[in-house]
Amino acid sequence: MPLPHLSVSLPYWQNREPLDALLVAEAADKLGFHRLWVGEMATFDAFALAAAIGRAPGRIPLCLGPLAVGVRSPATIAMGTATVAALTGRPVDIALGTSSTVVVRDWHSRRRNRTARHLEETSRIVRALLAGEKVEHDGLIERIRGFRLRLPAPRPTLPVHGPDESAEIDWPSVGSERGRASSNGHGREHRSRLRTAGRSTGGEIIVAAFGERALEVAARCADRVVLNLVTPAQVARCVTAIGEFAARAGRAAPPVSVWVIAAADPDPDMHATVRQGVVGYLRAPGYDAMFTEAGFGDVVALASSGAHPREVLAAVPDELPAAVGMFGDARTLAARLGEYADAGADEVVIVPVTTAEDPAGYRTLDALTGIVTDSGPGVPETGGEESDPESAEQRRQIDE
């Protein structure tokens, strides 16, 4: 089976300098990856960082998010997306998710309830706004009256309802008025293999999902679904569920992207970085069951008991993040990519492990582009969910 498209997500590791993100972005561009995902948590505002990256030399398409629908309104999400597209001239896609109670309620003092409904309403409103429509919507969660973007907005990258249906989608409960619309020299060698030829549009609406209700929403209204911290077996189950939900909705199943932590020939420092990065997920709903299923129920139980994050970190073995990532030499990385492809992933979004010696994660990114380049003609010519929801507080506790 052909390998999936390869993209890169800015990692924001807790023990690394936040400005490493700019170096990762530069490396991803020079190596010709499909697109760059720019999320946010407790460091950069995603729109501001994406604009800064997009104004620098380079041309890699951008994907913003997943952004928490409980933190920003649909109008601000659409405005931010259109702003980045207008200022950078690059294709810009947007990913939406529900995030965690810690992020939405505790950090941003916003309500987080009826998350699946909120995700669906926001997705539909943002889609209409990015299509240039004046939107009237009075929903259970979101209300918007008479707003239309005045910036040229990106359009969907690919039609997902058939070749002529994207302009005629009847979105339930949305009334609208149709508007007017550091490189080692190998970058050029890899670019044609990795980046989609001729891609010049944007506006793909992506939904981050994992639980059944979120997967159903994504299957009904997303151009693409993104999964985070999942094993290949769990990807396969989610792909099956998405297909079933989409069939019930009378539409083709959206393709699936998967965020995967990666490190080529990892050393102890890289393992330590990743282990610290997964601590906050161990007691998060959905992730706790996933790690338990993967064989780490004892660590999940410890995290759920209220143990100090430093104690939980000490109990996390290297094998735990490896269950939802890819670590090793080129042969091992290639095999793992194949597992995700076989499970149904259309795009693997690499979250590279960075170090003081390699702040751009270049060793890992270069190794992966080499795998794709060396795979021959069968490879397609391709281009929290978010980071740890309790990262800031846990980092402080671990350091104390």
Side-chain angles (χ1 to χ4, degrees):
M1 175 177 287
L3 294 178
H5 299 330
L6 285 183
S7 296
V8 175
S9 171
L10 301 181
Y12 308 137
W13 296 111
Q14 299 171 38
N15 62 350
R16 291 296 310 140
E17 164 60 47
L19 287 172
D20 283 358
L22 298 177
L23 301 178
V24 174
E26 181 182 5
D29 196 302
K30 288 183 176 180
L31 289 168
F33 279 83
H34 179 54
R35 59 179 161 187
L36 180 72
W37 289 60
V38 182
E40 68 179 16
M41 186 51 56
T43 52
F44 299 103
D45 173 89
F47 296 128
L49 179 59
I53 291 170
R55 295 285 289 176
R59 62 188 185 92
I60 189 170
L62 304 172
C63 181
L64 311 181
L67 303 178
V69 297
V71 173
R72 288 185 176 89
S73 71
T76 58
I77 291 171
M79 287 173 63
T81 305
T83 297
V84 174
L87 293 179
T88 67
R90 300 195 191 194
V92 179
D93 302 311
I94 184 72
L96 305 172
T98 59
S99 193
S100 68
T101 300
V102 169
V103 171
V104 177
R105 185 195 65 193
D106 298 345
W107 290 9
H108 292 277
S109 189
R110 297 292 184 265
R111 297 179 61 187
R112 184 180 184 273
N113 58 357
R114 306 195 69 167
T115 54
R117 177 69 186 212
H118 197 176
L119 185 60
E120 180 161 8
E121 288 189 16
T122 298
S123 299
R124 296 190 186 283
I125 294 170
V126 170
R127 178 186 295 281
L129 291 172
L130 292 183
E133 299 175 3
K134 179 186 286 187
V135 178
E136 302 282 344
H137 176 82
D138 189 2
L140 293 178
I141 311 294
E142 292 291 348
R143 291 174 176 80
I144 180 171
R145 296 180 180 177
F147 179 75
R148 176 188 288 155
L149 281 170
R150 296 182 62 187
L151 284 172
R155 300 296 177 130
T157 302
L158 295 171
V160 293
H161 295 268
D164 299 315
E165 295 177 284
S166 59
E168 303 297 336
I169 299 169
D170 181 18
W171 296 123
S173 76
V174 178
S176 64
E177 172 185 315
R178 188 75 49 188
R180 312 175 197 272
S182 351
S183 176
N184 65 2
H186 295 303
R188 292 181 181 176
E189 174 184 322
H190 297 317
R191 186 185 301 278
S192 62
R193 178 72 65 186
L194 285 170
R195 188 161 294 155
T196 302
R199 174 177 173 171
S200 60
T201 57
E204 192 173 54
I205 306 294
I206 304 167
V207 169
F210 186 66
E212 183 174 355
R213 294 184 65 190
L215 288 172
E216 184 176 4
V217 167
R220 286 202 304 265
C221 66
D223 297 327
R224 176 176 295 274
V225 185
V226 61
L227 309 171
N228 181 38
L229 282 182
V230 284
T231 65
Q234 289 158 343
V235 172
R237 285 202 296 273
C238 288
V239 168
T240 298
I242 291 165
E244 292 172 351
F245 287 132
R248 293 178 201 171
R251 68 186 296 242
V256 174
S257 299
V258 184
W259 280 24
V260 182
I261 301 168
D265 300 314
D267 56 33
D269 286 344
M270 298 172 87
H271 281 299
T273 293
V274 175
R275 288 170 52 240
Q276 183 171 334
V278 301
V279 166
Y281 286 100
L282 294 172
R283 61 180 184 181
Y287 291 107
D288 55 356
M290 183 272 297
F291 282 117
T292 297
E293 178 188 333
F296 303 98
D298 54 342
V299 186
V300 171
L302 178 63
S304 301
S305 72
H308 193 284
R310 188 169 56 243
E311 181 182 354
V312 177
L313 175 61
V316 175
D318 291 341
E319 291 79 10
L320 187 150
V324 293
M326 54 178 70
F327 304 88
D329 59 15
R331 182 183 297 274
T332 303
L333 296 178
R336 191 63 163 171
L337 278 175
E339 291 177 17
Y340 279 108
D342 291 343
D346 168 80
E347 175 187 27
V348 170
V349 184
I350 302 301
V351 185
V353 182
T354 59
T355 64
E357 293 73 28
D358 186 11
Y362 195 90
R363 185 173 77 191
T364 295
L365 298 181
D366 190 43
L368 286 163
T369 57
I371 290 169
V372 173
T373 301
D374 293 342
S375 296
V379 180
E381 288 194 2
T382 65
E385 192 170 354
E386 299 155 317
S387 303
D388 179 355
E390 303 180 51
S391 59
E393 177 63 16
Q394 288 177 343
R395 176 65 178 160
R396 181 187 66 78
Q397 293 179 6
I398 290 170
D399 288 344
E400 287 179 350

